[in-house]
Amino acid sequence: MSRTRPTRDVQAFEARATDAELDDLRARLAAARLPEAETVRHAAPGPRRWDQGVPLADLVDVVRYWRTEYDWRAFEARLDRIGQFRTTIDGLGIHFLHRRSARADATALILTHGWPGSVAEFIDVIDELADPKDADAPAFHVVVPSLPGFGHSDKPTAPGWGIEKIAAAWVELMDRLGYGTFLAHGGDWGGPITTVLAGRFPAHVLGIHTTTAQAPPGLSTDGLTAAELAWVEETHDFWNGPPAAFAKQQATRPQTIGYSLVDSPVGLLAWILDKFAQWTDTEDSPFETISLDRFLDNVTLYWLTRSGASSARIYYESHLSLDPELRVDVPSAVVVYPHDIEKCPRPWAQRRYRRIVRWRAADVGGHFPSLEVPAYFVEDLREGLAAVLAARR
C-alpha cells in the first residue's frame, strides 16, 4: 500500500490503496446490515432528529455516495501534491505533510489535528498558509503530522504515547526538518498537545494559536460575564452528559469499540458522522458547511489504515491528563468558535496562558473550523500568529 524513499532520517512517502482494498470497501458497504429507523418524533430539518444518533435516511445517503461516487484516488493525489513524509521517533513511525513556502520570510508552523479528525482537516488551507495570494500576509512552512495511531503514522504497541510524549516528538520532528524554532496551532487533541509544546519547550516554540484553550481545573465563576457563564455551563453539560459518552467509551474500553470501527465501514462512518453532526455550526446536517467528499476523505483514511482502535486509544492515554500546574509563557492567540464543544472564558484561560496577545470570539463555526469556515480560519490563524510574532520583537 505504501512506498518510501530514504533521505537521511526523513523518508518521502506515498500511500496507494490497492484496487482490492477499495473493492472490498464497496462490497462491505453493499452488504451492510442496517437497523430500523430511529424512533424520534422530530422530522427534518432540525437537530433534534439526531437525538438517538445518526438518522437512518442520512446514513443510507452517505453510504450510497461512498460506494458509488466517492473518489479516493483524488485525495491520494492531493496528499502527494502537498508532500508526504515519514520519520521514526522513539521507535514509532510518524507520518506528516510538509509544505515549504516559497517566501524567504516564512516561519515554520506545525498544525496538530484531533479525533475524529486527521490531516484531511487541513489540506484545503495548507497552500494558502504557505504561499498566500496577498503578498502582505504572513507565510509559513507548514508541517501537519498524523498523531500516533492515526492515518499513516504507526500504531503504538505499548502504552505511553500520550500528549506529553507526542509534544516531545513534535519538537524532534521539527528539528529534523531544520526548524529549531517554530509556531504551533492545534484544536481538539491538538489543543492540549500545543499547550504542552508551549509550556514544556518554550525555547523552541515561538508562540501558539489554539481553538481549544485549556484552563486549569477548579477555577471560580466569580466575575465572569453572562456570556462566559453560558460557555462554562455549555462545556459542563457536554462533558457531563450524553454527548460525551464516546469519550468515556474510548477512555475506558477503546479496544472493545475498536473491533467495530476496524471491521465495519458503516459502523466507523456512523461513529464519526455522529460527532461531525453534533459539533458543527449547522441547523440540520454537517454537510451544510463541510464537503461530503472531504468528510469521506477523513473517514476513508481511518478505514484503509485500520486506525479505529489505535486512534481511540489517545483517550485511554490522555483523557483529563493535562498537568494542572502547567503554564504557558510564550505569546498565545486564542479563538473560540460558537458551536465548539469546549469554550473557555478568557479570565480562566489567562490563568494558564500568561501572555495572551490576541483573543477572538468568532461569529460562526464549530469544532472543525478549517473545514466549516476555511477562509475565516486562515484569516484568524494568520492574524493570531502575526500578533504572536510581533509580541516577540
Side-chain angles (χ1 to χ4, degrees), residues 316-370:
Y316 185 85
E317 291 283 352
S318 295
H319 194 49
L320 303 178
S321 71
L322 184 61
D323 181 355
E325 302 302 320
L326 183 67
R327 296 296 181 267
V328 172
D329 292 317
V330 302
S332 304
V334 178
V335 60
V336 180
Y337 285 91
H339 203 76
D340 208 343
I341 60 178
E342 288 187 71
K343 295 190 279 288
C344 180
R346 180 167 184 167
W348 284 12
Q350 288 174 164
R351 299 291 294 273
R352 190 187 296 276
Y353 309 89
R354 296 193 280 202
R355 290 186 66 194
I356 295 178
V357 297
R358 186 176 182 273
W359 178 278
R360 287 293 182 274
D363 293 329
V364 296
H367 193 63
F368 308 97
S370 59

Side-chain angles (χ1 to χ4, degrees), residues 77-372:
R78 183 72 175 273
L79 293 178
D80 286 344
R81 287 196 299 271
I82 293 170
Q84 297 189 85
F85 303 86
R86 272 175 50 101
T87 191
T88 300
I89 300 174
D90 286 342
L92 195 78
I94 299 296
H95 166 266
F96 61 97
L97 307 179
H98 184 199
R99 171 77 155 79
R100 284 191 60 84
S101 174
R103 291 254 300 268
D105 62 342
T107 307
L109 168 64
I110 189 168
L111 307 175
T112 306
H113 68 82
W115 185 95
S118 67
V119 296
E121 287 185 56
F122 297 116
I123 68 167
D124 289 325
V125 301
I126 290 174
D127 286 347
E128 181 59 21
L129 289 171
D131 291 301
K133 299 179 183 68
D134 181 357
D136 294 327
F140 307 98
H141 302 304
V142 183
V143 179
V144 186
S146 296
L147 291 171
F150 287 69
H152 294 295
S153 284
D154 285 354
K155 300 172 177 61
T157 57
W161 276 96
I163 56 176
E164 294 274 353
K165 189 168 185 176
I166 293 170
W170 281 190
V171 174
E172 173 65 20
L173 169 62
M174 296 299 275
D175 184 67
R176 289 186 187 183
L177 297 176
Y179 304 132
T181 58
F182 55 90
L183 297 161
H185 160 82
D188 193 88
W189 279 109
I193 290 168
T194 298
T195 299
V196 174
L197 266 174
R200 300 286 191 226
F201 304 99
H204 296 277
V205 179
L206 298 169
I208 65 170
H209 178 281
T210 184
T211 62
T212 316
Q214 304 286 298
L219 299 182
S220 170
T221 58
D222 291 348
L224 297 185
T225 66
E228 290 168 338
L229 288 170
W231 287 2
V232 171
E233 184 176 357
E234 290 166 12
T235 302
H236 176 272
D237 289 348
F238 177 87
W239 286 115
N240 292 277
F246 82 96
K248 294 179 174 62
Q249 175 70 36
Q250 295 187 164
T252 58
R253 293 294 188 271
Q255 190 71 11
T256 300
I257 189 62
Y259 294 114
S260 298
L261 301 180
V262 172
D263 184 63
S264 168
V266 171
L268 175 69
L269 171 69
W271 191 245
I272 293 178
L273 177 55
D274 184 70
K275 310 307 173 286
F276 271 75
Q278 287 185 358
W279 303 352
T280 51
D281 188 5
T282 52
E283 292 297 324
D284 181 67
S285 164
F287 307 123
E288 294 166 26
T289 57
I290 295 177
S291 156
L292 177 54
D293 285 306
R294 192 62 70 237
F295 170 78
L296 287 173
D297 291 339
N298 182 62
V299 175
T300 309
L301 182 60
Y302 274 84
W303 173 256
L304 292 172
T305 58
R306 305 185 181 193
S307 53
S310 55
S311 63
R313 290 194 193 104
I314 194 171
Y315 287 82
Y316 185 85
E317 291 283 352
S318 295
H319 194 49
L320 303 178
S321 71
L322 184 61
D323 181 355
E325 302 302 320
L326 183 67
R327 296 296 181 267
V328 172
D329 292 317
V330 302
S332 304
V334 178
V335 60
V336 180
Y337 285 91
H339 203 76
D340 208 343
I341 60 178
E342 288 187 71
K343 295 190 279 288
C344 180
R346 180 167 184 167
W348 284 12
Q350 288 174 164
R351 299 291 294 273
R352 190 187 296 276
Y353 309 89
R354 296 193 280 202
R355 290 186 66 194
I356 295 178
V357 297
R358 186 176 182 273
W359 178 278
R360 287 293 182 274
D363 293 329
V364 296
H367 193 63
F368 308 97
S370 59
L371 295 174
E372 296 177 61

